[in-house]
């Protein structure tokens, strides 16, 4: 399966351009869509899952055209929206059973088996009799995953997956996705949290102000940042100056005052040492310095 997005624009009725000339090629595995709030991620997700029409542009899922073959494409999709809520009085297992029925799992015996399997996978088997509304935030999120996946979709779209989850739940969620990404599926994950784009995302796109600023592997993004991340030991006064001029990534108390990590194009400070960038450094560097450039 391959998804191609060509020259996609979205202009809302109020004139707001949320997406502008977006071109992306998405293949098997996990694809990360990273960008700050308001970048256009949800707009792109909603278009991809056929909930909203683009203003211009073309999207294909293999040979299916999103403008013409919406029904076919819907059968391939599992979607976990950002604000997934249940307006339901159903028990947890009943809700999942209903989702499976909607996803086309017709035979009751098979369906119930699937329901149990997924309750177990997402760690909700013990609370299967509980009303879905009464689950904790993390549990609801996991039920959200299960309902998106129970129909065995070929394309899974997850919008801001870890919002509102505690660290333990985040890890659990990432593990479920990472396990899935080993299979023959495309997982598209949108987030503003760099940590969500873990090592399992082999490809990512950075979205800013509705445009794609970078597309490629996390390693490529990090490579582009090498030579721009520094460590400086500094006193309090210098620190104020640094804060004005550079994007600070972290500040740790040290003997001299502070050990500061920052990103910059060049640095004219005596004791600054270049350090090896990670994905978070790369993201901050991109957002700070390349906002007004097209690609790097
Ligand atoms: P993200 O998911 O990255 O936070 P969104 O796609 O939600 O970004 O929003 C992109 C831009 O489009 C923002 O400026 C947002 O305010 C605007 N926007 C989103 N939905 C609508 C809408 N229904 N009508 C008008 N503007 C919208």
């Amino acid at each position: 399966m391959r998804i191609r997005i060509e020259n996609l624009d979205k202009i809302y009725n109020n004139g707001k351009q949320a997406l502008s000339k977006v071109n992306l090629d998405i293949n098997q595995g996990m694809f990360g869509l990273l960008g700050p709030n308001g970048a256009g991620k949800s707009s792109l997700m909603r278009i991809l899952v056929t909930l909203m029409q683009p203003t211009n542009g073309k999207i294909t899922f293999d040979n299916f055209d999103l403008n013409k073959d919406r029904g076919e494409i819907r059968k391939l999709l599992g979607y976990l929206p950002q604000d997934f809520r249940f307006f339901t009085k159903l028990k947890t297992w009943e809700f999942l059973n209903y989702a499976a029925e909607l996803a086309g799992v017709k035979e009751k015996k098979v369906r119930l088996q699937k329901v149990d399997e997924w309750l177990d996978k997402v760690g909700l088997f013990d609370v299967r009799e509980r009303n879905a509304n009464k689950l904790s935030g993390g549990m609801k999120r996991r039920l959200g995953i299960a309902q998106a996946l129970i129909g065995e979709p070929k394309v899974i779209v997850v919008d801001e997956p870890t919002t509102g989850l505690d660290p333990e739940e985040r890890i659990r969620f990432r593990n479920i996705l990472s396990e899935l990404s080993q299979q023959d599926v495309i997982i598209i994950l949108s987030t503003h949290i760099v940590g969500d784009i873990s090592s399992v995302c082999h490809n990512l796109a950075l979205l800013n102000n509705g445009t794609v600023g970078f597309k490629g592997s996390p390693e490529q993004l990090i490579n582009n940042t090498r030579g721009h991340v520094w460590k400086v030991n500094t006193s309090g006064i210098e620190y104020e100056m640094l804060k004005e001029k550079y994007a600070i990534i972290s500040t740790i108390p040290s003997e001299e005052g502070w050990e500061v990590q920052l990103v910059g194009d060049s640095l004219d400070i005596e004791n600054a040492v270049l350090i090896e960038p990670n994905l978070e450094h790369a993201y901050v560097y991109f957002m700070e310095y390349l906002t007004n450039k097209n690609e790097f």
Side-chain angles (χ1 to χ4, degrees):
M1 167 79 58
R2 178 180 181 198
I3 300 176
R4 296 191 70 169
I5 301 172
E6 292 169 78
N7 286 321
L8 200 74
D9 290 332
K10 177 67 194 180
I11 303 167
Y12 284 107
N13 288 340
N14 65 359
K16 170 74 198 173
Q17 179 139 19
L19 296 169
S20 172
K21 297 273 169 291
V22 170
N23 288 289
L24 288 173
D25 234 336
I26 303 175
N27 297 305
Q28 227 67 50
M30 194 129 131
F31 182 88
L33 188 65
L34 187 61
N37 285 330
K41 302 182 298 296
S42 292
S43 301
L44 180 54
M45 303 272 114
R46 287 204 296 269
I47 292 171
L48 274 174
V49 299
T50 76
L51 288 178
M52 187 166 84
Q53 302 264 12
T55 310
N56 296 301
K58 185 176 174 179
I59 299 182
T60 52
F61 287 52
D62 280 346
N63 294 322
F64 295 127
D65 184 328
L66 194 114
N67 281 326
K68 297 183 205 134
D69 310 309
R70 298 176 91 74
E72 298 297 333
I73 285 179
R74 278 191 184 150
K75 282 187 208 147
L76 300 170
L77 282 168
Y79 177 42
L80 178 55
Q82 199 172 342
D83 55 352
F84 183 68
R85 294 189 201 129
F86 326 89
F87 301 100
T88 177
K89 289 211 163 74
L90 296 177
K91 291 177 180 171
T92 300
W93 78 266
E94 288 172 334
F95 180 79
L96 216 45
N97 184 43
Y98 176 64
E101 212 170 340
L102 285 185
V105 189
K106 297 258 172 356
E107 207 184 314
K108 193 173 173 192
K109 202 171 145 208
V110 177
R111 203 167 59 233
L112 291 178
Q113 222 166 16
K114 267 184 185 294
V115 167
D116 279 357
E117 198 184 302
W118 272 100
L119 284 170
D120 193 41
K121 256 191 207 170
V122 297
L124 293 176
F125 196 80
D126 291 347
V127 291
R128 64 191 180 282
E129 294 293 335
R130 197 183 295 176
N131 187 316
N133 275 329
K134 299 263 159 62
L135 297 176
S136 73
M139 286 175 171
K140 280 185 181 154
R141 205 77 194 143
R142 281 188 258 144
L143 184 56
I145 305 170
Q147 66 78 34
L149 300 180
I150 199 158
E152 293 175 11
K154 286 284 170 209
V155 178
I156 300 158
V157 176
V158 191
D159 201 354
E160 297 279 353
T162 61
T163 308
L165 294 189
D166 61 33
E168 203 181 310
E169 289 278 7
R170 272 180 195 206
I171 292 166
R172 180 175 205 144
F173 190 92
R174 275 178 212 158
N175 287 342
I176 292 173
L177 288 184
S178 131
E179 215 175 278
L180 274 170
S181 72
Q182 312 298 320
Q183 297 166 20
D184 184 26
V185 293
I186 292 180
I187 303 176
I188 304 173
L189 180 102
S190 100
T191 183
H192 67 282
I193 299 167
V194 179
D196 285 345
I197 308 279
S198 54
S199 50
V200 287
C201 272
H202 296 304
N203 276 293
L204 64 87
L206 291 188
L207 207 57
N208 192 36
N209 255 331
T211 60
V212 175
F214 170 86
K215 49 191 167 189
S217 67
E219 293 76 27
Q220 282 169 313
L221 186 65
I222 289 170
N223 283 340
N224 288 342
T225 313
R226 196 164 284 122
H228 298 286
V229 188
W230 312 78
K231 188 173 76 177
V232 188
N233 276 305
T234 172
S235 66
I237 303 156
E238 262 182 347
Y239 179 62
E240 289 304 315
M241 184 274 286
L242 289 175
K243 242 179 26 184
E244 297 244 312
K245 276 179 84 173
Y246 305 100
I248 307 279
I249 289 173
S250 68
T251 309
I252 307 164
S254 74
E255 278 176 21
E256 291 165 57
W258 305 102
E259 184 193 292
V260 179
Q261 289 189 7
L262 45 82
V263 295
D265 268 336
S266 64
L267 218 63
D268 50 3
I269 298 165
E270 244 177 42
N271 64 357
V273 183
L274 274 176
I275 57 170
E276 181 61 18
N278 60 29
L279 194 56
E280 191 174 358
H281 297 140
Y283 178 61
V284 175
Y285 177 69
F286 169 84
M287 286 304 161
E288 282 293 314
Y289 291 94
L290 298 160
T291 305
N292 299 319
K293 296 180 189 172
N294 289 330
E295 304 227 352
F296 72 19

